């Protein structure tokens, strides 16, 4: 059973608009959440993270929101740029158990000029 | 600073052949990981090494073996390759301790087994 779910395989957004990527999780013990970006023929690169003690973390154009009661997090990209076109992976872990990162299946974002 | 380096970048094997994927990191990280990525499946953990001298199975370990050669290097071996092992393999590392830190990935090895 998937513990980290990204239910939208793809998303298309116009340049300059907001991109919202969503992620749901089932394990209430997860306390550390990350987003990775992946371009073709490259490894995933770390984008932004959030600890369960926060509900928002911002880094430039990227903001991650965490709703613990709904077991839901989202990544907002504002404004979206064509260079943001990539596959985005959500990941989570239970730091207390020294567990490992569990990844979602990814969402392919296309930002159109 | 090279980060995580994987070799080779590409490899084609025939069914039954063996090979070793190499990974090295220069960030003084204590934990290292091997993932595979398949279309529609995301990143799945094969094996990991929480610290030098230890290795553990991940989600999909069957058909693979690993060696944590030293703190820098973590290799993945396919003893008898099968077409189901056609995939892109990523090595990653992180600093693991009292706080969480993100994984750093290499650029992957694209393996085709015919």
């Amino acid at each position: 059973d998937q513990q980290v779910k990204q239910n939208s395989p793809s998303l298309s957004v116009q340049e300059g608009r907001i991109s919202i990527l969503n992620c749901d999780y089932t394990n209430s013990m997860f306390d550390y959440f990350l987003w990775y970006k992946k371009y073709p023929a490259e490894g995933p690169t770390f984008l932004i993270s959030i600890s369960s003690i926060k509900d928002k973390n911002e880094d430039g154009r990227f903001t991650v929101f965490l709703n613990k009661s709904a077991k839901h997090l989202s990544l907002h990209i504002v404004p979206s740029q064509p260079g943001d076109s990539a596959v985005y992976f959500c990941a989570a872990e239970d730091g207390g158990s020294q567990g490992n990162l569990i990844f979602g299946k990814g969402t392919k974002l296309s930002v159109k000029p | 600073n090279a980060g995580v380096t994987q070799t080779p970048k590409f490899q084609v094997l025939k069914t039954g052949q063996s090979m070793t994927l190499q990974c090295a990191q220069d960030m003084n990280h204590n934990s290292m990981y091997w993932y595979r990525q398949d279309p529609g499946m995301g990143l799945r953990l094969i094996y990991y090494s929480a610290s030098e001298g230890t290795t553990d199975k991940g989600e999909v370990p069957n058909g693979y073996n690993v060696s944590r050669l030293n703190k820098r290097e973590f290799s993945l071996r396919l003893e008898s390759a099968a077409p189901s092992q056609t995939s892109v393999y990523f090595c990653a590392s992180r600093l693991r301790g009292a706080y969480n830190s993100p994984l750093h990935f290499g650029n992957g090895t694209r393996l085709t087994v015919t």
Side-chain angles (χ1 to χ4, degrees):
Chain A
D1 189 29
Q2 277 186 273
Q3 295 188 69
V4 178
K5 300 179 185 178
Q6 293 177 257
N7 291 320
S8 298
S10 62
L11 176 68
S12 183
V13 171
Q14 206 68 31
E15 180 179 7
R17 306 294 290 267
I18 184 171
S19 295
I20 300 176
L21 295 95
N22 293 303
C23 179
D24 296 295
Y25 61 95
T26 57
N27 189 341
S28 59
M29 298 302 292
F30 286 154
D31 58 2
Y32 182 53
F33 306 89
L34 306 89
W35 285 94
Y36 282 81
K37 179 169 71 174
K38 186 183 178 308
Y39 293 120
E42 293 184 11
T45 54
F46 169 68
L47 196 55
I48 193 169
S49 64
I50 188 166
S51 164
S52 60
I53 62 173
K54 295 185 172 182
D55 54 19
K56 176 183 173 182
N57 190 25
E58 194 170 354
D59 184 2
R61 296 186 296 114
F62 302 90
T63 302
V64 55
F65 295 91
L66 176 63
N67 182 335
K68 289 186 287 294
S69 61
K71 294 193 182 67
H72 177 84
L73 66 155
S74 60
L75 175 68
H76 292 210
I77 307 173
V78 184
S80 301
Q81 299 173 353
D84 296 329
S85 297
V87 177
Y88 290 78
F89 290 100
C90 171
E93 75 173 354
D94 171 8
S97 73
Q98 290 293 297
N100 295 302
L101 281 174
I102 307 296
F103 284 83
K105 293 185 177 181
T107 296
K108 184 175 182 179
L109 174 65
S110 299
V111 180
K112 301 189 182 310
Chain B
N1 192 343
V4 179
T5 303
Q6 292 184 234
T7 55
K9 288 184 168 50
F10 302 95
Q11 185 71 48
V12 178
L13 293 177
K14 294 188 187 310
T15 297
Q17 288 185 316
S18 63
M19 79 161 295
T20 300
L21 283 66
Q22 306 288 354
C23 174
Q25 52 89 12
D26 61 3
M27 296 174 284
N28 203 32
H29 287 167
N30 50 2
S31 297
M32 298 186 73
Y33 304 78
W34 277 104
Y35 286 87
R36 61 179 286 175
Q37 186 196 9
D38 302 291
M41 298 297 290
L43 291 156
R44 292 184 294 170
L45 182 63
I46 304 171
Y47 268 94
Y48 67 100
S49 171
S51 60
E52 191 178 352
T54 68
T55 60
D56 286 286
K57 295 178 181 179
E59 180 186 357
V60 288
N62 291 344
Y64 306 95
N65 285 300
V66 290
S67 294
R68 183 75 183 267
L69 304 169
N70 47 55
K71 189 171 187 179
R72 290 187 63 245
E73 298 172 286
F74 188 39
S75 63
L76 178 72
R77 183 159 178 83
L78 287 71
E79 289 291 352
S80 178
S84 61
Q85 294 178 304
T86 293
S87 187
V88 182
Y89 291 85
F90 291 101
C91 179
S93 69
R94 73 192 295 192
L95 192 60
R96 203 69 191 272
Y99 58 92
N100 294 317
S101 68
L103 283 172
H104 296 259
F105 284 87
N107 279 330
T109 295
R110 185 174 294 274
L111 175 68
T112 301
V113 183
T114 61

